[in-house]
Amino acid sequence: MANEPLSRRRLLGVLAAGCAGLAGCSVGSPESSESADDRTPAGTVDEQFESYATDTTAGGSAYSDVYEQVADSVAAVRVRQQFGSGASGTAWVYDENHLVTNEHVVSDAADVSVWFDGSGWQSAEVVATDVYSDLAVIRVDDRPDSAQPLSLAQEEPPIGTEVIAVGNPFGLSGSVSAGIVSGQDRTLPAANGFSIPDAVQTDAAVNPGNSGGPLVALNGRVVGVVNSGGGDNIGFGISAAMVQQVVPALITDGEYDHTYMGVRLRGVTPPIAEANDLPFSWGVYIAEVVDDGPSDGVLQGSTGETTVGGQSIDTGGDVVYRMGGADIPTQQALSSYLALETSPGDTVSVDVIRDGDSESVSLTLGERPAPT
């Protein structure tokens, strides 16, 4: 890339404080350094690893190879917010016309600019955002030919899959860090007390400014969109499966409708199992049913309480252990099932333990309320 007017090595940004917990709240930009978030993968784990692996050739590196493959498709994002403050993050090319980033990177934006290596800053339009998945779509009119769309992983990456995070931590454009997928099916906080399911955990270092950037396996496929992290070997990304659900709707409809049960949940802990005489300590306990919500009159919330080990424990609520034929051992499993397998208006069977007996009910899912 000798003909490019400015190399990545010179695109250094000022180090600035980011928003706590979010990797996309760095203030700064590349030029400012002139002073210095029942789906079982097919095949065995070994076969899955093989599908993600890239051979390292003599004299080269798998990390440098995949970096060169994807780096031109990753852009720095600079945001001027409505009240005069600014922030920066990362985006990557999703299709011929659109880039993907995080909602929290472009929220409340008065204007947005992106920087592709070698092409300078250009204005971008926010097409749509979704606070419940922390995903956003932006558009630019003059995408460089070298900035080609990146492909999404079509299956869940096995724990241990090697990955790189490409982005702009603290405004340091074109940075890369390496690690592995260190966890799956994590949940991240979202607006209104909801959560983002199916998140990917990584030990690749991500910092303020990385948000919205791709987490990429060594075969060049995006396994997640970096959402949060503080460089402490625990970072998170929105899974490729969530991107595949949400982003097409943002592009075509300008919004994405999330399913909604209208309940307040708790995981089944040993005290809850003991207090409710459950035959097992797994599943999801219905602590409360929202009035006039989809579950009102279908599922049962707590009706009393008792004391276990000196703690007051709710009793009488349904315990969901299967939904739509899929086992539901945890809250994470329930959230992932709703997000990836259902849509508002769907009617699903829900198997519950109620008052000591097992029964099945039919629940018609609603649409999640707008964020406040």
Side-chain angles (χ1 to χ4, degrees):
M1 302 183 183
N3 294 327
E4 294 178 355
L6 190 61
S7 71
R8 289 190 184 88
R9 293 176 182 268
R10 294 179 56 202
L11 304 182
L12 303 178
V14 294
L15 300 183
C19 296
L22 293 177
C25 297
S26 170
V27 178
S29 61
E31 82 271 1
S32 64
S33 69
E34 292 298 321
S35 60
D37 71 318
D38 186 20
R39 195 168 51 85
T40 303
T44 67
V45 171
D46 286 342
E47 289 169 342
Q48 294 169 46
F49 271 120
E50 184 177 344
S51 73
Y52 276 85
T54 298
D55 291 334
T56 301
T57 59
S61 161
Y63 299 115
S64 59
D65 288 348
V66 70
Y67 176 78
E68 289 300 322
Q69 181 180 343
V70 305
D72 286 346
S73 300
V74 180
V77 179
R78 182 175 60 183
V79 177
R80 182 176 65 83
Q81 294 168 322
Q82 293 180 7
F83 300 102
S85 58
S88 64
T90 305
W92 52 277
V93 180
Y94 174 80
D95 63 19
E96 294 299 321
N97 300 307
H98 303 97
L99 283 71
V100 167
T101 187
N102 282 145
E103 185 276 340
H104 77 257
V105 171
V106 297
S107 61
D108 299 320
D111 59 65
V112 178
S113 300
V114 300
W115 171 290
F116 286 103
D117 189 34
S119 67
W121 288 107
Q122 60 176 295
S123 295
E125 172 194 359
V126 178
V127 175
T129 64
D130 178 51
V131 68
Y132 286 132
S133 64
D134 195 27
L135 291 171
V137 175
I138 59 179
R139 181 184 180 119
V140 293
D141 292 329
D142 189 19
R143 177 177 57 84
D145 291 339
S146 60
Q148 292 298 306
L150 300 182
S151 298
L152 288 164
Q154 297 301 307
E155 56 188 25
E156 190 172 60
I159 292 176
T161 298
E162 290 183 285
V163 292
I164 63 171
V166 184
N168 306 282
F170 301 113
L172 299 171
S173 181
S175 295
V176 61
S177 56
I180 62 171
V181 172
S182 50
Q184 299 170 335
D185 299 325
R186 305 307 193 203
T187 56
L188 306 175
N192 287 14
F194 290 99
S195 62
I196 304 169
D198 197 46
V200 178
Q201 179 184 331
T202 182
D203 67 351
V206 293
N207 287 283
N210 272 114
S211 269
L215 188 66
V216 186
L218 297 191
N219 64 354
R221 291 185 178 271
V222 177
V223 302
V225 180
V226 174
N227 158 274
S228 56
D232 50 6
N233 296 330
I234 298 181
F236 299 96
I238 312 304
S239 71
M242 280 296 294
V243 175
Q244 289 171 323
Q245 288 282 105
V246 174
V247 169
L250 294 183
I251 292 172
T252 58
D253 303 327
E255 61 181 0
Y256 180 79
D257 298 329
H258 294 261
T259 54
Y260 176 60
M261 288 180 64
V263 293
R264 186 166 59 85
L265 306 172
R266 293 179 185 165
V268 175
T269 61
I272 287 178
E274 180 180 344
N276 289 275
D277 296 322
L278 298 176
F280 42 70
S281 294
W282 65 290
V284 180
Y285 179 82
I286 306 296
E288 181 182 357
V289 175
V290 176
D291 290 341
D292 300 322
S295 295
D296 193 9
V298 178
L299 295 175
Q300 178 175 294
S302 298
T303 58
E305 61 182 34
T306 190
T307 300
V308 176
Q311 292 183 309
S312 180
I313 304 296
D314 287 343
T315 60
D318 287 342
V319 173
V320 177
Y321 65 91
R322 188 178 296 118
M323 180 175 285
D327 289 341
I328 304 295
T330 63
Q331 285 182 256
Q332 291 91 336
L334 177 58
S335 296
S336 293
Y337 175 81
L338 290 174
L340 301 178
E341 305 294 340
T342 68
S343 299
D346 288 352
T347 298
V348 296
S349 62
V350 185
D351 294 333
V352 302
I353 300 293
R354 177 179 295 173
D355 300 327
D357 296 319
S358 176
E359 60 180 279
S360 182
V361 298
S362 292
L363 174 64
T364 300
L365 299 167
E367 181 181 332
R368 189 177 294 181
T372 57

